[in-house]
DNA sequence: AGTCCACAGGAAGGGCAGGCGA
DNA sequence: TCGCCTGCCCTTCCTGTGGACT
């Protein structure tokens, strides 16, 4: 694009009417005034946590529901209301909220405790201290608090699967050693079978109360989207059927409201870029494709270099063959390592990397037995040509640059 | 009924980077 | 500076296993 073209593009962009009135209304951080189809859960959580306003420690609660079923939204909403009332009536009440899945922030026991301590006003280093020291500092900070402290741990299943449930046990027992502070845990899990991973002692004390968040159905999603579109888009920006299409697609995908909102937002962005002021169904299809592509590419980008090499090998091999086995991948991968002059990892590690790529949803791997011919993973790739191309290019660029 | 393949996947631990406290 | 800590990536060693073959 020449410089004058760019200039006119910018100028057109400024002059053009946007389809969006307030794009924030379609993001996950947006707090709608009216939360639809979750009255029951709000009331349940509210009544469980209400005793905290009288200085009593509420029961520990566990919220279950898959991605995009409104758990986080409801917790933040109830947290806000609680804090407002506590402030009005001058009650000692603190609610901490932490997402345990945030990389480099709260994805280990140490980081979680450090983050909690920091939220209580303690100054702690991000690394370097022994874990029991960080625990002590957190404990001291709690002591200072007085009143009730509710600790909301979002995506707690991810952390427990990673580091075990020891830290949860410690947290649930912390009240035994505190006099003036009362701690209550609010766990939020995407995995409904999560408690299977936990020790029964932790399980019973943590899930004194449980609230289930069922997936939204297509009709509920449509109402949610309708409400948000009125705020997010200018009038007449959407063609008929766009909202229904977004809701239907998201309903298929486990009733995920987040996905529905993303679809609508990206469809709007795509429409805007294609210089039209009407969002059509076709934009939703393209949005679906773009979201998936961005997700996969970003996931792979953050993987270690050998994971990229293994994926590259798999992509290359599945061009010709539908399904391949771990052993085949490993020998091809070794050749690739020689080619790019990188020392190869062991089969054990490569096996682990394949399993990680499977869990991340980048490839499909299924353990099968071929009887006399052993047990292996059957690996296949279900990605569109454009995603494949983008991934291959990323790895090629990566290693070309590292060679220099 | 027993064997045996080709791995899966758990456990333990090494080595390194980044960081703290004395 | 040194000793120590955690997190991360990785290796080594190991046991487990579904089902075709004998």
């Amino acid at each position: 694009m020449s410089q004058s073209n760019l200039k006119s593009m910018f100028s057109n962009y400024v002059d053009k009417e946007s389809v969006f009135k307030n794009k924030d209304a379609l993001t996950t951080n947006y707090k709608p005034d009216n939360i639809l189809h979750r009255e029951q859960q709000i009331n349940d959580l509210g009544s469980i946590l209400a005793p905290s306003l009288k200085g009593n420690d509420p029961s520990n609660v566990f919220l279950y529901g898959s991605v995009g079923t409104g758990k986080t939204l409801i917790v933040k909403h109830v947290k806000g209301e609680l804090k407002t009332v506590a402030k009005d009536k001058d009650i000692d009440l603190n609610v901490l909220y932490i997402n345990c899945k945030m990389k480099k922030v709260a994805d280990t026991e140490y980081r979680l405790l450090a983050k909690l301590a920091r939220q209580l006003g303690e100054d702690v280093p991000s690394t370097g201290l022994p874990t029991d020291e960080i625990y002590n500092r957190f404990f001291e900070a709690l002591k200072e608090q007085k009143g009730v402290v509710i600790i909301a741990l979002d995506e707690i299943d991810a952390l427990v699967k990673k580091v075990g449930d020891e830290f949860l046990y410690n947290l649930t027992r912390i009240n035994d050693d505190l006099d003036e502070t009362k701690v209550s845990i609010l766990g939020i899990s995407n995995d409904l079978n999560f408690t299977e991973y936990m020790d029964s002692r932790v399980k019973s004390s943590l899930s004194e109360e449980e609230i289930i968040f069922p997936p939204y159905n297509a009709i509920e999603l449509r109402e949610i989207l309708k409400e948000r579109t009125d705020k997010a888009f200018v009038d007449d920006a959407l063609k008929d059927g766009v909202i229904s299409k977004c809701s239907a697609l998201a309903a298929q995908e486990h009733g995920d409201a987040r996905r529905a909102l993303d679809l609508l937002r990206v469809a709007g962005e795509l429409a805007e870029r294609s210089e039209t002021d009407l969002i059509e169904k076709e934009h939703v299809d393209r949005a679906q494709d773009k979201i998936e592509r961005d997700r996969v590419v970003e996931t792979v980008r953050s993987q270690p270099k050998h994971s990229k090499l293994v994926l590259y090998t798999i992509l290359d091999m599945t061009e010709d063959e539908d399904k391949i086995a771990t052993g085949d991948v490993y020998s091809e991968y070794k050749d690739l390592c020689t080619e790019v002059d990188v020392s190869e990892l062991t089969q054990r590690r490569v096996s682990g990397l394949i399993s990680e790529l499977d869990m991340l949803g980048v490839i499909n791997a299924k353990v099968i037995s071929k009887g006399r011919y052993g047990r292996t993973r059957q690996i296949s790739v279900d990605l569109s040509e454009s995603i494949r191309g983008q991934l291959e290019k990323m790895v090629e660029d990566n290693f070309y640059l590292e060679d220099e």
Side-chain angles (χ1 to χ4, degrees), chain A residues 110 126-134:
Chain A
Y110 183 98
S126 54
T127 166
L129 296 180
T131 305
D132 46 336
E133 172 62 21
I134 204 88

PDB file of all heavy atoms in Angstrom, chain A residues 110 126-134, chain B residues 16-20, chain C residues 3-7:
ATOM      1  N   TYR A 110       3.102 -21.156  44.944  1.00  0.00           N
ATOM      2  CA  TYR A 110       3.844 -19.970  45.353  1.00  0.00           C
ATOM      3  C   TYR A 110       3.200 -18.700  44.805  1.00  0.00           C
ATOM      4  O   TYR A 110       2.933 -17.746  45.518  1.00  0.00           O
ATOM      5  CB  TYR A 110       5.293 -20.064  44.851  1.00  0.00           C
ATOM      6  CG  TYR A 110       6.156 -18.902  45.284  1.00  0.00           C
ATOM      7  CD1 TYR A 110       6.981 -19.028  46.390  1.00  0.00           C
ATOM      8  CD2 TYR A 110       6.129 -17.686  44.618  1.00  0.00           C
ATOM      9  CE1 TYR A 110       7.773 -17.965  46.801  1.00  0.00           C
ATOM     10  CE2 TYR A 110       6.894 -16.617  45.020  1.00  0.00           C
ATOM     11  CZ  TYR A 110       7.721 -16.758  46.106  1.00  0.00           C
ATOM     12  OH  TYR A 110       8.484 -15.705  46.528  1.00  0.00           O
ATOM     13  N   SER A 126       8.301 -11.804  43.630  1.00  0.00           N
ATOM     14  CA  SER A 126       7.619 -12.751  42.746  1.00  0.00           C
ATOM     15  C   SER A 126       8.305 -14.109  42.731  1.00  0.00           C
ATOM     16  O   SER A 126       7.757 -15.079  42.234  1.00  0.00           O
ATOM     17  CB  SER A 126       7.554 -12.186  41.340  1.00  0.00           C
ATOM     18  OG  SER A 126       8.847 -11.832  40.921  1.00  0.00           O
ATOM     19  N   THR A 127       9.494 -14.190  43.239  1.00  0.00           N
ATOM     20  CA  THR A 127      10.169 -15.484  43.357  1.00  0.00           C
ATOM     21  C   THR A 127      11.313 -15.321  44.357  1.00  0.00           C
ATOM     22  O   THR A 127      11.650 -14.208  44.751  1.00  0.00           O
ATOM     23  CB  THR A 127      10.712 -15.967  42.001  1.00  0.00           C
ATOM     24  OG1 THR A 127      11.620 -17.042  42.223  1.00  0.00           O
ATOM     25  CG2 THR A 127      11.456 -14.888  41.277  1.00  0.00           C
ATOM     26  N   GLY A 128      11.906 -16.428  44.768  1.00  0.00           N
ATOM     27  CA  GLY A 128      13.075 -16.338  45.628  1.00  0.00           C
ATOM     28  C   GLY A 128      12.859 -16.772  47.061  1.00  0.00           C
ATOM     29  O   GLY A 128      13.786 -17.227  47.718  1.00  0.00           O
ATOM     30  N   LEU A 129      11.639 -16.683  47.569  1.00  0.00           N
ATOM     31  CA  LEU A 129      11.376 -17.086  48.946  1.00  0.00           C
ATOM     32  C   LEU A 129      10.930 -18.543  48.981  1.00  0.00           C
ATOM     33  O   LEU A 129      10.334 -19.033  48.036  1.00  0.00           O
ATOM     34  CB  LEU A 129      10.276 -16.218  49.558  1.00  0.00           C
ATOM     35  CG  LEU A 129      10.541 -14.739  49.727  1.00  0.00           C
ATOM     36  CD1 LEU A 129       9.336 -14.069  50.350  1.00  0.00           C
ATOM     37  CD2 LEU A 129      11.769 -14.496  50.569  1.00  0.00           C
ATOM     38  N   PRO A 130      11.211 -19.231  50.091  1.00  0.00           N
ATOM     39  CA  PRO A 130      10.663 -20.579  50.245  1.00  0.00           C
ATOM     40  C   PRO A 130       9.137 -20.508  50.359  1.00  0.00           C
ATOM     41  O   PRO A 130       8.602 -19.504  50.850  1.00  0.00           O
ATOM     42  CB  PRO A 130      11.269 -21.085  51.550  1.00  0.00           C
ATOM     43  CG  PRO A 130      12.169 -20.050  52.043  1.00  0.00           C
ATOM     44  CD  PRO A 130      12.033 -18.821  51.217  1.00  0.00           C
ATOM     45  N   THR A 131       8.452 -21.560  49.941  1.00  0.00           N
ATOM     46  CA  THR A 131       6.990 -21.527  49.943  1.00  0.00           C
ATOM     47  C   THR A 131       6.414 -21.346  51.339  1.00  0.00           C
ATOM     48  O   THR A 131       5.428 -20.643  51.516  1.00  0.00           O
ATOM     49  CB  THR A 131       6.423 -22.799  49.303  1.00  0.00           C
ATOM     50  OG1 THR A 131       6.990 -22.935  48.005  1.00  0.00           O
ATOM     51  CG2 THR A 131       4.917 -22.719  49.149  1.00  0.00           C
ATOM     52  N   ASP A 132       7.045 -21.964  52.351  1.00  0.00           N
ATOM     53  CA  ASP A 132       6.465 -21.799  53.691  1.00  0.00           C
ATOM     54  C   ASP A 132       6.613 -20.375  54.200  1.00  0.00           C
ATOM     55  O   ASP A 132       5.804 -19.893  54.968  1.00  0.00           O
ATOM     56  CB  ASP A 132       7.005 -22.823  54.699  1.00  0.00           C
ATOM     57  CG  ASP A 132       8.502 -22.971  54.632  1.00  0.00           C
ATOM     58  OD1 ASP A 132       9.062 -22.665  53.552  1.00  0.00           O
ATOM     59  OD2 ASP A 132       9.107 -23.378  55.624  1.00  0.00           O
ATOM     60  N   GLU A 133       7.660 -19.674  53.712  1.00  0.00           N
ATOM     61  CA  GLU A 133       7.824 -18.266  54.092  1.00  0.00           C
ATOM     62  C   GLU A 133       6.696 -17.423  53.469  1.00  0.00           C
ATOM     63  O   GLU A 133       6.111 -16.571  54.122  1.00  0.00           O
ATOM     64  CB  GLU A 133       9.201 -17.770  53.624  1.00  0.00           C
ATOM     65  CG  GLU A 133       9.438 -16.281  53.786  1.00  0.00           C
ATOM     66  CD  GLU A 133       9.380 -15.806  55.238  1.00  0.00           C
ATOM     67  OE1 GLU A 133       9.550 -16.652  56.148  1.00  0.00           O
ATOM     68  OE2 GLU A 133       9.111 -14.610  55.469  1.00  0.00           O
ATOM     69  N   ILE A 134       6.398 -17.709  52.213  1.00  0.00           N
ATOM     70  CA  ILE A 134       5.345 -16.940  51.532  1.00  0.00           C
ATOM     71  C   ILE A 134       3.999 -17.243  52.205  1.00  0.00           C
ATOM     72  O   ILE A 134       3.151 -16.379  52.364  1.00  0.00           O
ATOM     73  CB  ILE A 134       5.324 -17.241  50.022  1.00  0.00           C
ATOM     74  CG1 ILE A 134       4.705 -16.091  49.237  1.00  0.00           C
ATOM     75  CG2 ILE A 134       4.556 -18.464  49.655  1.00  0.00           C
ATOM     76  CD1 ILE A 134       5.645 -15.062  48.836  1.00  0.00           C
TER      77      ILE A 134
ATOM     78  P    DC B  16      23.956 -26.825  33.888  1.00  0.00           P
ATOM     79  OP1  DC B  16      24.816 -27.012  32.717  1.00  0.00           O
ATOM     80  OP2  DC B  16      24.524 -26.694  35.251  1.00  0.00           O
ATOM     81  O5'  DC B  16      23.033 -25.556  33.637  1.00  0.00           O
ATOM     82  C5'  DC B  16      22.170 -25.528  32.497  1.00  0.00           C
ATOM     83  C4'  DC B  16      21.016 -24.611  32.782  1.00  0.00           C
ATOM     84  O4'  DC B  16      20.195 -25.178  33.825  1.00  0.00           O
ATOM     85  C3'  DC B  16      21.464 -23.230  33.299  1.00  0.00           C
ATOM     86  O3'  DC B  16      21.163 -22.249  32.327  1.00  0.00           O
ATOM     87  C2'  DC B  16      20.646 -23.025  34.572  1.00  0.00           C
ATOM     88  C1'  DC B  16      19.577 -24.106  34.498  1.00  0.00           C
ATOM     89  N1   DC B  16      19.116 -24.578  35.814  1.00  0.00           N
ATOM     90  C2   DC B  16      17.774 -24.395  36.152  1.00  0.00           C
ATOM     91  O2   DC B  16      17.018 -23.857  35.341  1.00  0.00           O
ATOM     92  N3   DC B  16      17.342 -24.825  37.366  1.00  0.00           N
ATOM     93  C4   DC B  16      18.187 -25.404  38.216  1.00  0.00           C
ATOM     94  N4   DC B  16      17.712 -25.804  39.381  1.00  0.00           N
ATOM     95  C5   DC B  16      19.559 -25.591  37.891  1.00  0.00           C
ATOM     96  C6   DC B  16      19.985 -25.158  36.694  1.00  0.00           C
ATOM     97  P    DA B  17      21.669 -20.746  32.561  1.00  0.00           P
ATOM     98  OP1  DA B  17      22.175 -20.247  31.270  1.00  0.00           O
ATOM     99  OP2  DA B  17      22.501 -20.693  33.778  1.00  0.00           O
ATOM    100  O5'  DA B  17      20.298 -20.006  32.877  1.00  0.00           O
ATOM    101  C5'  DA B  17      19.165 -20.203  32.036  1.00  0.00           C
ATOM    102  C4'  DA B  17      17.978 -19.459  32.628  1.00  0.00           C
ATOM    103  O4'  DA B  17      17.500 -20.157  33.807  1.00  0.00           O
ATOM    104  C3'  DA B  17      18.312 -18.038  33.074  1.00  0.00           C
ATOM    105  O3'  DA B  17      17.229 -17.198  32.711  1.00  0.00           O
ATOM    106  C2'  DA B  17      18.477 -18.152  34.583  1.00  0.00           C
ATOM    107  C1'  DA B  17      17.506 -19.283  34.923  1.00  0.00           C
ATOM    108  N9   DA B  17      17.877 -20.088  36.094  1.00  0.00           N
ATOM    109  C8   DA B  17      19.104 -20.622  36.383  1.00  0.00           C
ATOM    110  N7   DA B  17      19.123 -21.325  37.494  1.00  0.00           N
ATOM    111  C5   DA B  17      17.814 -21.242  37.961  1.00  0.00           C
ATOM    112  C6   DA B  17      17.188 -21.774  39.092  1.00  0.00           C
ATOM    113  N6   DA B  17      17.810 -22.517  40.008  1.00  0.00           N
ATOM    114  N1   DA B  17      15.880 -21.504  39.264  1.00  0.00           N
ATOM    115  C2   DA B  17      15.251 -20.763  38.346  1.00  0.00           C
ATOM    116  N3   DA B  17      15.741 -20.208  37.240  1.00  0.00           N
ATOM    117  C4   DA B  17      17.043 -20.489  37.104  1.00  0.00           C
ATOM    118  P    DG B  18      17.359 -15.615  32.862  1.00  0.00           P
ATOM    119  OP1  DG B  18      16.594 -15.022  31.749  1.00  0.00           O
ATOM    120  OP2  DG B  18      18.767 -15.250  33.105  1.00  0.00           O
ATOM    121  O5'  DG B  18      16.561 -15.346  34.212  1.00  0.00           O
ATOM    122  C5'  DG B  18      15.191 -15.710  34.288  1.00  0.00           C
ATOM    123  C4'  DG B  18      14.718 -15.444  35.702  1.00  0.00           C
ATOM    124  O4'  DG B  18      15.261 -16.449  36.590  1.00  0.00           O
ATOM    125  C3'  DG B  18      15.189 -14.085  36.242  1.00  0.00           C
ATOM    126  O3'  DG B  18      14.057 -13.450  36.801  1.00  0.00           O
ATOM    127  C2'  DG B  18      16.231 -14.442  37.295  1.00  0.00           C
ATOM    128  C1'  DG B  18      15.732 -15.808  37.760  1.00  0.00           C
ATOM    129  N9   DG B  18      16.725 -16.692  38.363  1.00  0.00           N
ATOM    130  C8   DG B  18      18.001 -16.927  37.936  1.00  0.00           C
ATOM    131  N7   DG B  18      18.648 -17.787  38.696  1.00  0.00           N
ATOM    132  C5   DG B  18      17.735 -18.122  39.683  1.00  0.00           C
ATOM    133  C6   DG B  18      17.852 -18.995  40.800  1.00  0.00           C
ATOM    134  O6   DG B  18      18.817 -19.671  41.138  1.00  0.00           O
ATOM    135  N1   DG B  18      16.677 -19.049  41.540  1.00  0.00           N
ATOM    136  C2   DG B  18      15.539 -18.346  41.250  1.00  0.00           C
ATOM    137  N2   DG B  18      14.511 -18.519  42.077  1.00  0.00           N
ATOM    138  N3   DG B  18      15.412 -17.524  40.223  1.00  0.00           N
ATOM    139  C4   DG B  18      16.544 -17.460  39.489  1.00  0.00           C
ATOM    140  P    DG B  19      14.148 -11.953  37.336  1.00  0.00           P
ATOM    141  OP1  DG B  19      12.837 -11.343  37.104  1.00  0.00           O
ATOM    142  OP2  DG B  19      15.395 -11.312  36.863  1.00  0.00           O
ATOM    143  O5'  DG B  19      14.318 -12.205  38.895  1.00  0.00           O
ATOM    144  C5'  DG B  19      13.259 -12.808  39.607  1.00  0.00           C
ATOM    145  C4'  DG B  19      13.700 -13.100  41.009  1.00  0.00           C
ATOM    146  O4'  DG B  19      14.692 -14.144  40.986  1.00  0.00           O
ATOM    147  C3'  DG B  19      14.376 -11.914  41.707  1.00  0.00           C
ATOM    148  O3'  DG B  19      13.580 -11.512  42.816  1.00  0.00           O
ATOM    149  C2'  DG B  19      15.713 -12.452  42.164  1.00  0.00           C
ATOM    150  C1'  DG B  19      15.501 -13.956  42.108  1.00  0.00           C
ATOM    151  N9   DG B  19      16.759 -14.675  41.952  1.00  0.00           N
ATOM    152  C8   DG B  19      17.689 -14.538  40.958  1.00  0.00           C
ATOM    153  N7   DG B  19      18.730 -15.315  41.123  1.00  0.00           N
ATOM    154  C5   DG B  19      18.461 -15.994  42.304  1.00  0.00           C
ATOM    155  C6   DG B  19      19.227 -16.970  43.003  1.00  0.00           C
ATOM    156  O6   DG B  19      20.324 -17.433  42.705  1.00  0.00           O
ATOM    157  N1   DG B  19      18.583 -17.407  44.154  1.00  0.00           N
ATOM    158  C2   DG B  19      17.357 -16.960  44.583  1.00  0.00           C
ATOM    159  N2   DG B  19      16.888 -17.482  45.707  1.00  0.00           N
ATOM    160  N3   DG B  19      16.628 -16.056  43.946  1.00  0.00           N
ATOM    161  C4   DG B  19      17.241 -15.614  42.820  1.00  0.00           C
ATOM    162  P    DC B  20      13.918 -10.259  43.661  1.00  0.00           P
ATOM    163  OP1  DC B  20      12.683  -9.484  43.794  1.00  0.00           O
ATOM    164  OP2  DC B  20      15.151  -9.617  43.172  1.00  0.00           O
ATOM    165  O5'  DC B  20      14.240 -10.937  45.060  1.00  0.00           O
ATOM    166  C5'  DC B  20      13.251 -11.735  45.683  1.00  0.00           C
ATOM    167  C4'  DC B  20      13.851 -12.384  46.900  1.00  0.00           C
ATOM    168  O4'  DC B  20      14.909 -13.271  46.488  1.00  0.00           O
ATOM    169  C3'  DC B  20      14.468 -11.378  47.865  1.00  0.00           C
ATOM    170  O3'  DC B  20      13.870 -11.542  49.141  1.00  0.00           O
ATOM    171  C2'  DC B  20      15.944 -11.709  47.891  1.00  0.00           C
ATOM    172  C1'  DC B  20      16.014 -13.124  47.336  1.00  0.00           C
ATOM    173  N1   DC B  20      17.222 -13.368  46.510  1.00  0.00           N
ATOM    174  C2   DC B  20      18.160 -14.315  46.938  1.00  0.00           C
ATOM    175  O2   DC B  20      17.967 -14.912  48.000  1.00  0.00           O
ATOM    176  N3   DC B  20      19.265 -14.542  46.173  1.00  0.00           N
ATOM    177  C4   DC B  20      19.430 -13.877  45.027  1.00  0.00           C
ATOM    178  N4   DC B  20      20.523 -14.145  44.303  1.00  0.00           N
ATOM    179  C5   DC B  20      18.473 -12.909  44.574  1.00  0.00           C
ATOM    180  C6   DC B  20      17.394 -12.687  45.336  1.00  0.00           C
TER     181       DC B  20
ATOM    182  P    DG C   3      28.719 -20.998  48.924  1.00  0.00           P
ATOM    183  OP1  DG C   3      29.658 -21.725  49.803  1.00  0.00           O
ATOM    184  OP2  DG C   3      28.658 -21.281  47.473  1.00  0.00           O
ATOM    185  O5'  DG C   3      27.252 -21.133  49.520  1.00  0.00           O
ATOM    186  C5'  DG C   3      26.964 -20.583  50.806  1.00  0.00           C
ATOM    187  C4'  DG C   3      25.462 -20.580  51.002  1.00  0.00           C
ATOM    188  O4'  DG C   3      24.868 -19.533  50.189  1.00  0.00           O
ATOM    189  C3'  DG C   3      24.776 -21.885  50.581  1.00  0.00           C
ATOM    190  O3'  DG C   3      23.870 -22.250  51.597  1.00  0.00           O
ATOM    191  C2'  DG C   3      24.058 -21.531  49.277  1.00  0.00           C
ATOM    192  C1'  DG C   3      23.751 -20.062  49.491  1.00  0.00           C
ATOM    193  N9   DG C   3      23.593 -19.265  48.279  1.00  0.00           N
ATOM    194  C8   DG C   3      24.369 -19.315  47.143  1.00  0.00           C
ATOM    195  N7   DG C   3      23.969 -18.479  46.218  1.00  0.00           N
ATOM    196  C5   DG C   3      22.865 -17.850  46.775  1.00  0.00           C
ATOM    197  C6   DG C   3      22.014 -16.857  46.238  1.00  0.00           C
ATOM    198  O6   DG C   3      22.070 -16.305  45.142  1.00  0.00           O
ATOM    199  N1   DG C   3      21.019 -16.501  47.145  1.00  0.00           N
ATOM    200  C2   DG C   3      20.857 -17.041  48.389  1.00  0.00           C
ATOM    201  N2   DG C   3      19.844 -16.574  49.119  1.00  0.00           N
ATOM    202  N3   DG C   3      21.648 -17.973  48.904  1.00  0.00           N
ATOM    203  C4   DG C   3      22.623 -18.330  48.042  1.00  0.00           C
ATOM    204  P    DC C   4      23.151 -23.644  51.548  1.00  0.00           P
ATOM    205  OP1  DC C   4      23.048 -24.100  52.945  1.00  0.00           O
ATOM    206  OP2  DC C   4      23.753 -24.484  50.494  1.00  0.00           O
ATOM    207  O5'  DC C   4      21.692 -23.221  51.047  1.00  0.00           O
ATOM    208  C5'  DC C   4      20.951 -22.267  51.805  1.00  0.00           C
ATOM    209  C4'  DC C   4      19.812 -21.772  50.961  1.00  0.00           C
ATOM    210  O4'  DC C   4      20.321 -21.031  49.838  1.00  0.00           O
ATOM    211  C3'  DC C   4      18.955 -22.875  50.349  1.00  0.00           C
ATOM    212  O3'  DC C   4      17.707 -22.904  51.008  1.00  0.00           O
ATOM    213  C2'  DC C   4      18.784 -22.469  48.891  1.00  0.00           C
ATOM    214  C1'  DC C   4      19.324 -21.048  48.859  1.00  0.00           C
ATOM    215  N1   DC C   4      19.917 -20.686  47.550  1.00  0.00           N
ATOM    216  C2   DC C   4      19.323 -19.671  46.796  1.00  0.00           C
ATOM    217  O2   DC C   4      18.321 -19.104  47.243  1.00  0.00           O
ATOM    218  N3   DC C   4      19.845 -19.348  45.596  1.00  0.00           N
ATOM    219  C4   DC C   4      20.924 -19.988  45.143  1.00  0.00           C
ATOM    220  N4   DC C   4      21.409 -19.631  43.962  1.00  0.00           N
ATOM    221  C5   DC C   4      21.553 -21.029  45.895  1.00  0.00           C
ATOM    222  C6   DC C   4      21.016 -21.351  47.089  1.00  0.00           C
ATOM    223  P    DC C   5      16.690 -24.060  50.673  1.00  0.00           P
ATOM    224  OP1  DC C   5      15.951 -24.339  51.913  1.00  0.00           O
ATOM    225  OP2  DC C   5      17.363 -25.135  49.932  1.00  0.00           O
ATOM    226  O5'  DC C   5      15.724 -23.325  49.654  1.00  0.00           O
ATOM    227  C5'  DC C   5      14.889 -22.264  50.119  1.00  0.00           C
ATOM    228  C4'  DC C   5      14.190 -21.665  48.934  1.00  0.00           C
ATOM    229  O4'  DC C   5      15.168 -21.082  48.072  1.00  0.00           O
ATOM    230  C3'  DC C   5      13.482 -22.700  48.081  1.00  0.00           C
ATOM    231  O3'  DC C   5      12.106 -22.715  48.360  1.00  0.00           O
ATOM    232  C2'  DC C   5      13.698 -22.229  46.656  1.00  0.00           C
ATOM    233  C1'  DC C   5      14.663 -21.093  46.760  1.00  0.00           C
ATOM    234  N1   DC C   5      15.803 -21.269  45.824  1.00  0.00           N
ATOM    235  C2   DC C   5      15.822 -20.520  44.642  1.00  0.00           C
ATOM    236  O2   DC C   5      14.895 -19.729  44.432  1.00  0.00           O
ATOM    237  N3   DC C   5      16.838 -20.676  43.772  1.00  0.00           N
ATOM    238  C4   DC C   5      17.808 -21.546  44.054  1.00  0.00           C
ATOM    239  N4   DC C   5      18.793 -21.667  43.174  1.00  0.00           N
ATOM    240  C5   DC C   5      17.812 -22.322  45.249  1.00  0.00           C
ATOM    241  C6   DC C   5      16.783 -22.161  46.101  1.00  0.00           C
ATOM    242  P    DT C   6      11.207 -23.847  47.666  1.00  0.00           P
ATOM    243  OP1  DT C   6      10.013 -23.974  48.491  1.00  0.00           O
ATOM    244  OP2  DT C   6      12.050 -25.009  47.338  1.00  0.00           O
ATOM    245  O5'  DT C   6      10.810 -23.171  46.278  1.00  0.00           O
ATOM    246  C5'  DT C   6      10.064 -21.956  46.264  1.00  0.00           C
ATOM    247  C4'  DT C   6       9.850 -21.542  44.814  1.00  0.00           C
ATOM    248  O4'  DT C   6      11.134 -21.357  44.180  1.00  0.00           O
ATOM    249  C3'  DT C   6       9.101 -22.590  43.997  1.00  0.00           C
ATOM    250  O3'  DT C   6       8.005 -21.967  43.360  1.00  0.00           O
ATOM    251  C2'  DT C   6      10.129 -23.104  42.987  1.00  0.00           C
ATOM    252  C1'  DT C   6      11.157 -21.980  42.926  1.00  0.00           C
ATOM    253  N1   DT C   6      12.549 -22.447  42.684  1.00  0.00           N
ATOM    254  C2   DT C   6      13.236 -21.956  41.603  1.00  0.00           C
ATOM    255  O2   DT C   6      12.762 -21.154  40.820  1.00  0.00           O
ATOM    256  N3   DT C   6      14.510 -22.439  41.462  1.00  0.00           N
ATOM    257  C4   DT C   6      15.156 -23.340  42.276  1.00  0.00           C
ATOM    258  O4   DT C   6      16.293 -23.696  42.051  1.00  0.00           O
ATOM    259  C5   DT C   6      14.373 -23.817  43.405  1.00  0.00           C
ATOM    260  C7   DT C   6      14.969 -24.797  44.342  1.00  0.00           C
ATOM    261  C6   DT C   6      13.125 -23.363  43.549  1.00  0.00           C
ATOM    262  P    DG C   7       7.027 -22.798  42.449  1.00  0.00           P
ATOM    263  OP1  DG C   7       5.717 -22.112  42.496  1.00  0.00           O
ATOM    264  OP2  DG C   7       7.139 -24.224  42.812  1.00  0.00           O
ATOM    265  O5'  DG C   7       7.650 -22.601  41.004  1.00  0.00           O
ATOM    266  C5'  DG C   7       7.788 -21.282  40.484  1.00  0.00           C
ATOM    267  C4'  DG C   7       8.234 -21.358  39.036  1.00  0.00           C
ATOM    268  O4'  DG C   7       9.624 -21.756  38.980  1.00  0.00           O
ATOM    269  C3'  DG C   7       7.469 -22.383  38.209  1.00  0.00           C
ATOM    270  O3'  DG C   7       7.214 -21.788  36.937  1.00  0.00           O
ATOM    271  C2'  DG C   7       8.412 -23.570  38.103  1.00  0.00           C
ATOM    272  C1'  DG C   7       9.781 -22.906  38.165  1.00  0.00           C
ATOM    273  N9   DG C   7      10.834 -23.692  38.779  1.00  0.00           N
ATOM    274  C8   DG C   7      10.766 -24.439  39.935  1.00  0.00           C
ATOM    275  N7   DG C   7      11.898 -25.019  40.250  1.00  0.00           N
ATOM    276  C5   DG C   7      12.766 -24.629  39.243  1.00  0.00           C
ATOM    277  C6   DG C   7      14.126 -24.947  39.028  1.00  0.00           C
ATOM    278  O6   DG C   7      14.859 -25.648  39.734  1.00  0.00           O
ATOM    279  N1   DG C   7      14.631 -24.353  37.889  1.00  0.00           N
ATOM    280  C2   DG C   7      13.907 -23.546  37.034  1.00  0.00           C
ATOM    281  N2   DG C   7      14.550 -23.063  35.976  1.00  0.00           N
ATOM    282  N3   DG C   7      12.626 -23.246  37.218  1.00  0.00           N
ATOM    283  C4   DG C   7      12.127 -23.816  38.328  1.00  0.00           C
TER     284       DG C   7
END
